[in-house]
Amino acid sequence: MTEVVLNAVSKVYPGGHLAVDDLRLHVRDGELFVLLGPSGCGKSTVLRMIAGLEEISSGDLMLNGTLANDLDPRERNVAMVFQNGALYPHLSVRGNLAFPLEIAQDDATATREKVVELAKALGLDPMLERRPSTLSGGQRQRVAMGRAIIREPSVFLMDEPLSNLDATLRTELRMEIAALVRSLGVTTLYVTHDQVEALTLADRIAIMRQGVLQDVGTPQQLYDDPATVFVAAFLSSPYINLLQANAWAVQDDGVILDFGGQRLVVPWSDPRSSAFMACHGSPVVVGIRPDALTLVPEPGAGPTLSGRLRALEFHGHEWMAYAEAGIPAVDPEEVTAPQQATAKVPTPTSGGRLKSSFGRLFGTPESVVAEDAAKSSAGRSGHHRRSDLVFRIGSSRGLTTGSVVHLTVDLDRVLVFDANGARIDRVRR
């Protein structure tokens, strides 16, 4: 088996287009590793560099400890499955599966046995004599996977193999791919732009944007503890609430996340408060996933946001609700610079300046917060997104559009980012 290491790998195309920038990844032996990101982020280019189909402009590619930059594709012992399957149309399913072994001049009897055995495992045995043109999309992708697997490669590369299939086939084949790859124990890199595929398939995920690595971790880590606004927004269905706020440290209360007409207070007992305190007086982005909001009849003593119900959507097993809260929404594309995230706590710009601010703040906290909030609100610009709070409910009974709703907030799950889109508190990996 094989480990794949990319050390400061970059790819620059003729004309100066930087497709991949200083990528550093370590894919462990036998891991199912997913490269996730929007179209054009460089994830397929990474796969092609590993396969030897694209030259590496700078940096090192190591395959099981061996420098592979100058190795021919056939010397790398990798197998790749493309989006369209890329089958030989003039060969039957049997011929397509056997082709790699025939090229390698393997024993004919052993080849026939391998083909039959693999066809059974992939559910292809009834169609061994059929041509690709007579197969469904899912069947063609099974053949493409089989043709790659039969070579027993050290590394298995899959470039959006399910994107051309309908939703039902994608779900079915996704489960088959996960089971097959894990049963083989082959190191696998899987490229997709679909967050559901990534979350359900991966041992670990790397998220890319504009050729730059944004974050790496297990699906749970990236969902619960994202390093950037971009990662939080990309791994969210339904869409995460990203709200514009200002942070204020108040001696008797804690750190106030001020939305203008509403606010949340992070108490000093919260371990994140020291990190948030360093952003005193600064704009921040507050991320709240819909399942971190709970509908309540009346505002209670805990953290609560209120709004006017604008719309309800029936999703079968649940309803999605949208409440106009008067809080400016944030577009992640506008706040996130495409830079690699680092999990660090911000440092105050100046000890004297911070001390002076706290002295003034501690003197008359409420009046200062109100004064500074008013100045900040006056400088805010409008935004094209609706300022809705999105939340989940099990039933719409008793709710009518236009009515006022109150939502308690699970503070432990509130994410706070700086104005550049990076997490303010420490990201744990």
Side-chain angles (χ1 to χ4, degrees):
M1 298 302 170
T2 302
E3 289 185 327
V4 179
V5 177
L6 295 100
N7 185 20
V9 167
S10 296
K11 174 64 181 179
V12 182
Y13 284 104
H17 173 62
L18 181 61
V20 177
D21 184 15
D22 194 36
L23 181 63
R24 300 168 190 267
L25 282 180
H26 179 196
V27 182
R28 299 162 187 155
D29 182 18
E31 188 172 33
L32 203 171
F33 192 94
V34 172
L35 290 170
L36 176 66
S39 297
C41 72
K43 54 191 186 295
S44 292
T45 302
V46 172
L47 228 59
R48 293 175 65 84
M49 286 192 290
I50 295 171
L53 304 178
E54 296 279 1
E55 284 190 4
I56 295 173
S57 302
S58 63
D60 295 328
L61 168 66
M62 309 294 291
L63 297 178
N64 212 28
T66 301
L67 183 65
N69 291 41
D70 298 323
L71 294 180
D72 290 335
R74 71 180 65 185
E75 297 175 304
R76 301 186 185 203
N77 193 26
V78 303
M80 192 163 179
V81 175
F82 297 91
Q83 182 175 335
N84 60 4
L87 301 178
Y88 299 109
H90 64 289
L91 296 179
S92 65
V93 170
R94 186 189 301 275
N96 270 280
L97 291 176
F99 186 80
L101 301 183
E102 291 172 351
I103 290 296
Q105 298 182 339
D106 282 15
D107 177 75
T109 302
T111 295
R112 284 194 296 271
E113 291 175 354
K114 272 190 173 182
V115 166
V116 171
E117 182 181 353
L118 184 58
K120 287 180 179 177
L122 293 171
L124 296 170
D125 47 321
M127 53 198 75
L128 278 171
E129 306 310 323
R130 289 169 59 180
R131 297 287 179 90
S133 60
T134 68
L135 303 177
S136 69
Q139 290 166 344
R140 285 195 293 271
Q141 283 302 79
R142 284 193 183 93
V143 177
M145 288 168 50
R147 190 179 60 187
I149 291 167
I150 202 166
R151 290 175 43 202
E152 300 181 7
S154 298
V155 180
F156 196 17
L157 308 175
M158 306 186 78
D159 190 3
E160 304 207 48
L162 307 182
S163 60
N164 289 338
L165 306 180
D166 61 43
T168 303
L169 274 176
R170 278 203 304 271
T171 301
E172 179 183 333
L173 202 51
R174 186 172 70 223
M175 292 187 291
E176 292 180 8
I177 287 173
L180 182 63
V181 167
R182 289 194 169 92
S183 69
L184 294 170
V186 178
T187 304
T188 301
L189 283 90
Y190 186 106
V191 160
T192 184
H193 63 271
D194 187 325
Q195 59 156 308
V196 175
E197 278 183 31
L199 291 172
T200 54
L201 280 172
D203 294 322
R204 284 192 302 147
I205 300 171
I207 296 184
M208 296 182 65
R209 176 176 180 248
Q210 296 181 21
V212 178
L213 180 67
Q214 298 291 301
D215 206 353
V216 182
T218 66
Q220 193 79 55
Q221 286 173 334
L222 296 191
Y223 186 85
D224 292 340
D225 202 21
T228 69
V229 165
F230 179 81
V231 174
F234 203 83
L235 281 181
S236 61
S237 180
Y239 195 78
I240 187 173
N241 297 292
L242 295 175
L243 311 174
Q244 182 178 326
N246 283 279
W248 309 101
V250 178
Q251 186 177 29
D252 296 330
D253 296 329
V255 178
I256 295 175
L257 302 176
D258 173 39
F259 302 109
Q262 304 191 63
R263 68 181 193 174
L264 296 174
V265 180
V266 181
W268 293 120
S269 58
D270 191 302
R272 300 168 297 173
S273 60
S274 58
F276 295 166
M277 182 178 67
C279 290
H280 163 69
S282 301
V284 294
V285 179
V286 178
I288 308 175
R289 296 202 183 275
D291 41 313
L293 295 170
T294 303
L295 183 66
V296 292
E298 297 292 336
T304 306
L305 296 175
S306 300
R308 193 169 296 277
L309 191 63
R310 186 180 64 82
L312 290 165
E313 289 182 349
F314 181 55
H315 287 208
H317 63 291
E318 65 179 0
W319 290 75
M320 297 305 302
Y322 301 81
E324 169 61 54
I327 302 173
V330 173
D331 185 344
E333 292 294 335
E334 294 181 2
V335 299
T336 309
Q339 59 189 5
Q340 185 165 343
T342 53
K344 62 181 180 180
V345 175
T347 304
T349 53
S350 162
R353 180 179 176 184
L354 186 65
K355 182 178 179 182
S356 172
S357 296
F358 268 85
R360 182 172 65 93
L361 187 63
F362 288 159
T364 54
E366 294 299 331
S367 61
V368 171
V369 168
E371 175 189 348
D372 288 343
K375 290 178 182 178
S376 176
S377 296
R380 285 176 179 167
S381 59
H383 198 280
H384 69 279
R385 288 177 178 265
R386 282 188 176 274
S387 53
D388 286 337
L389 289 175
V390 185
F391 58 101
R392 301 174 187 262
I393 51 176
S395 170
S396 65
R397 186 175 301 169
L399 292 176
T400 57
T401 55
S403 60
V404 175
V405 293
H406 307 288
L407 303 163
T408 59
V409 182
D410 184 350
L411 272 185
D412 291 339
R413 299 184 59 198
V414 168
L415 304 166
V416 183
F417 307 88
D418 65 23
N420 294 317
R423 271 281 291 283
I424 291 174
D425 55 317
R426 184 181 179 188
V427 179
R428 301 185 182 277
R429 291 286 182 269

